[in-house]
Amino acid sequence: RMQSTMVMWTLFMHSITMKVPMRAYLLFTATCSSARAFYNPHSPSSPSTFLNMSTTSPSTNLSQAKQLISKAISIGAPAYNAGDINKCATVYQDTAKEITSLGIPSALQSELLAEIDNNETSNDNAKAWALRRIFDSIVDYTLPLTPYSEPPIPSVTLEPFTQNQLPNEPLGVMDNVMGGISRGSWISKANTFFGETSLANNGGFASLRWRFPQKQNWSYAKGIYIKGLRHSKPMEHTFRIILKDDNCDRVRLANYKVVFANPDQVQDQPLMIPFTEFDQMEQMGNSLVGSPSFNPMSVTEIGIMAIKPTVVGEFQLEFEEWGLYV
């Protein structure tokens, strides 16, 4: 198994060093990839009201919506490219109506419903573009991990990060690296991350990164916890926890991310994020196929991110403490 992993990693690094060009993004491409849906694997409770779901699971509903979007694009995109813009807009409109009850995040659901009822859209071309943008946001959406609604079983030991582990002031990494104007700040005494994301200039994210002075060996732990988590617009905003290991340091802008939120504002139980959730290396939001899973034996960086489509505008996230759970 180790030999197989090493072969995969060698092939992956070869593709990176050979600078294989990444597939260009086209608004009306005929295919549409699905994002992985996260959920709280430890909670036996019914689906959260975070997405206003029906009785089936949130991940099933959202996956079904994404499948319908993919089907619509496979029909609408060729029609659009062939000049039949009316057919494209009609297919997108019919699909939009069909997925409104399938676990769409509340903010995107409102946007979708508004566009469905919008009779002021000037023409089929504008309608197709408007719906496609919303479709893309839905496909990019990932269900967040959330705090336990009940005490975790079995019990775990919490080990808060110490001042010796994390620098007091993190490095701010904003979308200005790509021309954006989003901003974010950190209040260390209050463990508060706040700012504003903007879609201007194709931006839309703000993040903080803590670089460890020395590589951390977290192999003895099960994952990361965040205690006393509170944030703006609980039913809408989601955030990302970022980890980097020494493999990420060998690939430009690579890291691992997991989406989290506290929609029900649970305060008496911590958010638990298992290391097993960090199973896909990313580079600027694109999954790096063939890359290894996160290695907790060589951790080099941790971070927090606010990013579109769920966080657009002002945001604030705060917590009492964070660290490792064993």
Side-chain angles (χ1 to χ4, degrees):
R1 182 176 181 179
M2 181 178 296
Q3 184 178 10
S4 175
T5 301
M6 289 301 297
V7 170
M8 289 293 291
W9 174 242
T10 301
L11 292 173
F12 166 71
M13 287 302 298
H14 178 70
S15 69
I16 295 296
T17 55
M18 291 296 289
K19 298 182 180 179
V20 177
M22 299 189 69
R23 184 176 59 187
Y25 174 81
L26 298 174
L27 178 63
F28 283 95
T29 51
T31 59
C32 181
S33 61
S34 296
R36 182 164 62 106
F38 287 107
Y39 63 99
N40 186 342
H42 304 284
S43 175
S45 60
S46 59
S48 168
T49 56
F50 177 61
L51 298 176
N52 297 320
M53 297 292 188
S54 63
T55 55
T56 54
S57 71
S59 59
T60 300
N61 271 329
L62 190 58
S63 295
Q64 186 179 353
K66 292 180 180 182
Q67 289 172 3
L68 291 171
I69 289 173
S70 180
K71 181 180 178 180
I73 292 172
S74 70
I75 299 171
Y80 184 94
N81 294 333
D84 193 347
I85 300 176
N86 175 263
K87 180 179 179 180
C88 178
T90 300
V91 170
Y92 287 0
Q93 178 82 348
D94 291 343
T95 300
K97 293 177 180 178
E98 188 174 0
I99 67 174
T100 53
S101 61
L102 290 178
I104 307 303
S106 58
L108 293 174
Q109 184 183 53
S110 298
E111 189 176 352
L112 190 64
L113 289 170
E115 185 56 42
I116 290 172
D117 296 334
N118 183 8
N119 296 321
E120 297 180 1
T121 302
S122 58
N123 53 52
D124 290 333
N125 185 64
K127 174 65 73 173
W129 274 81
L131 288 172
R132 180 59 195 268
R133 290 191 186 99
I134 302 173
F135 285 172
D136 287 346
S137 294
I138 294 171
V139 170
D140 288 342
Y141 182 82
T142 301
L143 286 172
L145 288 173
T146 61
Y148 296 114
S149 58
E150 299 176 1
I153 299 175
S155 60
V156 296
T157 300
L158 304 181
E159 295 187 359
F161 289 135
T162 66
Q163 291 183 348
N164 293 331
Q165 285 178 291
L166 294 179
N168 284 333
E169 294 301 324
L171 173 67
V173 179
M174 312 299 159
D175 57 15
N176 56 14
V177 298
M178 50 196 293
I181 60 172
S182 299
R183 56 183 177 81
S185 300
W186 174 252
I187 304 176
S188 58
K189 292 183 179 180
N191 288 334
T192 299
F193 175 35
F194 68 98
E196 182 176 5
T197 60
S198 170
L199 302 181
N201 303 327
N202 294 318
F205 76 86
S207 70
L208 304 173
R209 313 293 178 90
W210 287 263
R211 186 75 181 180
F212 295 111
Q214 298 178 337
K215 283 194 293 188
Q216 303 289 301
N217 185 349
W218 291 350
S219 59
Y220 68 93
K222 297 177 181 178
I224 297 169
Y225 78 90
I226 303 178
K227 187 177 180 181
L229 175 64
R230 299 176 295 278
H231 59 79
S232 52
K233 297 185 178 180
M235 304 298 287
E236 179 180 338
H237 285 177
T238 66
F239 298 85
R240 284 163 171 75
I241 190 89
I242 303 170
L243 287 179
K244 294 185 71 168
D245 59 16
D246 55 1
N247 285 327
C248 291
D249 289 344
R250 297 162 61 188
V251 182
R252 183 173 178 269
L253 302 176
N255 53 46
Y256 298 89
K257 297 187 185 77
V258 169
V259 182
F260 70 92
N262 190 5
D264 299 320
Q265 296 294 276
V266 175
Q267 295 300 303
D268 57 345
Q269 299 298 330
L271 167 69
M272 304 293 217
I273 307 176
F275 288 141
T276 53
E277 293 290 341
F278 298 91
D279 61 354
Q280 184 64 68
M281 188 186 292
E282 299 180 7
Q283 184 183 53
M284 298 182 69
N286 298 299
S287 297
L288 295 176
V289 179
S291 61
S293 297
F294 170 70
N295 181 9
M297 295 182 66
S298 60
V299 187
T300 59
E301 186 175 292
I302 189 171
I304 304 173
M305 173 180 278
I307 188 171
K308 64 180 181 182
T310 61
V311 181
V312 178
E314 294 184 351
F315 68 87
Q316 180 167 313
L317 178 149
E318 57 186 287
F319 51 86
E320 295 174 11
E321 67 178 37
W322 61 338
L324 304 176
Y325 70 93
V326 183

